[in-house]
Amino acid sequence: MNNLKNVLLILLAVWTVGPGFARDRSLARGNKLNIVFIGNSITQGVIIDDPEKAPPAQAAKALEGRKGILCVDFYNNGVSGSTTVDHLPQTGTLFSRAVEAADRFAVDQGALLVFSVKLGTNDSASEGPNGSPVSPAQYRKNLKTIIDSLLSRYPRAYVVLHHPVWYSPSTYNGARYLQEGLDRLCSYIPEIDALVREYRKNSQAVFVGDTAGFDYFREHHKTDMWEENGQVGVFYLHPNVKGAEALGRLWAEAIYKAIR
């Protein structure tokens, strides 16, 4: 009788935990990890000559060799100047590129698929990028549309939403950001957190990613970001090689925490 009771308890535990349990078990066996990085110029690694030193490559490097991960493959879908509007399914090009990469990864039986998303910088601009300025409510709605579309196509994938990265209030290149843009960027952070909480009620697939990058670059911008000349003087927006390595490590920590 006691043996039957123990079996029933185990079956109940497995049924209750559901898909998340399967993900943990697969990682524990040791898996290949496939990551599609979705983002803008920061993800792309503009100004950095070697793509292997851009944040996605640095994140992949930091993840390889971690417990439960045999190897890491990735696709960098970071596009300079892009907003959440550009990555919407109905917009076409950028979402299609992410899907094409994920479809190639999806044939990898047993591998874990992760979408690492870092968007918001260009949404926050007061003028310039497509759709900007994007209100906090619309930013959240756009992210939800992107995530819903990805999970509909890849129901066993993970989506990790990183907080945006700080830029200086003097930022004004081809687009106008300034203090107004930075304030708007900050308003996106609670929207990300609230959106993840909404998903977590019914899903174990969507996670808040890195939350430390914003403060890190605010404190280390003179050593970890390129000094660029804009329309109102020097500004700091893009991580340099040192900053890309630091950001890659932060993303790696967040992704690893999610898949564990």
Side-chain angles (χ1 to χ4, degrees), residues 167 178-188:
Y167 58 74
L178 304 177
Q179 184 64 53
E180 179 185 353
L182 183 59
D183 292 342
R184 189 177 296 109
L185 187 73
C186 291
S187 73
Y188 295 160

Side-chain angles (χ1 to χ4, degrees), residues 185-211:
L185 187 73
C186 291
S187 73
Y188 295 160
I189 292 175
E191 297 298 334
I192 292 172
D193 295 344
L195 181 59
V196 172
R197 286 195 299 270
E198 180 182 329
Y199 275 107
R200 298 286 284 179
K201 293 176 183 178
N202 301 302
S203 169
Q204 297 297 311
V206 184
F207 296 84
V208 173
D210 167 56
T211 61

Side-chain angles (χ1 to χ4, degrees), residues 32 34 101-111 113 154:
K32 181 177 181 182
N34 292 325
D103 281 351
R104 291 195 298 270
F105 287 147
V107 300
D108 235 344
Q109 295 296 323
L113 176 62
Y154 313 100

